[in-house]
Amino acid sequence: MRLSLVQSRALSGLEAARVTVEVHLANGLPSFTLVGLADVEVKEARERVRCAIQSAGLEFPSNKRITVNLAPADLPKDSGRFDLPIALGILAASGQVDADRLAGWEFAGELSLSGELRAVRGALAMALARPAPQGDAPDARLVLPRASAQEAALVPQATVYGAHHLLDVVAQFLPEGAAGLPDHAGGDASGWSRVQASAAGAPAPAGPDLADVKGHAGAKRVLEIAAAGGHSLLMLWTYWTSRAAKNMLGSNGS
């Protein structure tokens, strides 16, 4: 097969728009072209994917003209989240992965040069944006790096799988009768598994609440901005500021 389609999602603010990764292999002058309004870090995926596939002991079609299109073309794409779907698309187009079995799955993950999967931003948004099941069709399943899968699994009824290495994912989509995959460092049975939301632990003890502070709208606004952005905060008091306001604002700020 010379053309393969793999589904992923691009993070746009709080939304995760669906992206189809189209991979085409053709004869001609060997090249690796990536199109579809990709940012610099996405274009750098060419080298990460090439090294990851080769390091995993798989065959990279270096004698082919490889074209990767991230559709829709007018949607900006950034980060390394498309490394995994691009790698799977190349393997599917070259016959090393069963392209038909990729249907109904969505993938995201950054690849290291050794083939290990690294966490990506927006896992929760991807899980929230998954399409609702149509009729008897199964719910869309997500494949993410282990660290990101824990975040996506917080969404109720989300079907999320976590993986540590590219080979852990490839092993789930091999063609019928395909030979076994090479071992990889640190590989074990837990390299691929479905991730469930962790059970809720003991409730955290009640702490200071800004709702208890009456007035002081400006001071509370500053505290909220500092907390949201993880900024440092220097609090200066005027002589007539009450002791109660100092204590309550100070405890909330800390």
Side-chain angles (χ1 to χ4, degrees), residues 100-117:
D100 294 335
R101 297 180 61 187
L102 297 176
W105 295 78
E106 294 181 358
F107 304 86
E110 180 180 336
L111 287 171
S112 70
L113 300 187
S114 63
E116 294 182 357
L117 290 172

Side-chain angles (χ1 to χ4, degrees), residues 166-249:
L166 173 62
L167 289 177
D168 296 327
V169 182
V170 172
Q172 313 304 315
F173 302 97
L174 290 175
E176 293 291 338
L181 294 173
D183 296 331
H184 61 276
D188 53 36
S190 63
W192 167 278
S193 62
R194 182 171 178 180
V195 179
Q196 304 283 357
S198 301
D209 193 338
L210 278 178
D212 298 331
V213 180
K214 306 304 180 184
H216 303 283
K220 290 194 289 185
R221 176 61 175 165
V222 170
L223 289 174
E224 292 170 354
I225 294 175
H231 305 302
S232 300
L233 186 66
L234 175 63
M235 305 184 73
L236 300 176
W237 311 104
T238 59
Y239 177 76
W240 52 85
T241 303
S242 67
R243 183 183 299 273
K246 293 179 182 179
N247 290 339
M248 297 186 71
L249 288 171

Side-chain angles (χ1 to χ4, degrees), residues 18-115:
R18 189 168 186 174
V19 173
T20 301
V21 179
E22 305 172 337
V23 179
H24 181 264
L25 301 186
N27 295 324
L29 187 64
S31 63
F32 192 163
T33 305
L34 199 155
V35 298
L37 202 55
D39 209 343
V40 175
E41 57 265 36
V42 181
K43 293 182 178 179
E44 292 175 347
R46 294 176 295 186
E47 304 307 323
R48 292 193 297 268
V49 169
R50 186 197 313 272
C51 293
I53 291 177
Q54 293 175 339
S55 298
L58 301 169
E59 180 183 354
F60 185 84
S62 55
N63 61 335
K64 298 292 184 181
R65 181 175 180 177
I66 306 172
T67 303
V68 177
N69 179 41
L70 306 178
D74 59 347
L75 177 68
K77 293 98 179 170
D78 59 6
S79 81
R81 67 178 56 252
F82 299 106
D83 291 4
L84 178 58
I86 290 174
L88 291 175
I90 292 175
L91 295 173
S94 59
Q96 301 175 72
V97 165
D98 190 343
D100 294 335
R101 297 180 61 187
L102 297 176
W105 295 78
E106 294 181 358
F107 304 86
E110 180 180 336
L111 287 171
S112 70
L113 300 187
S114 63

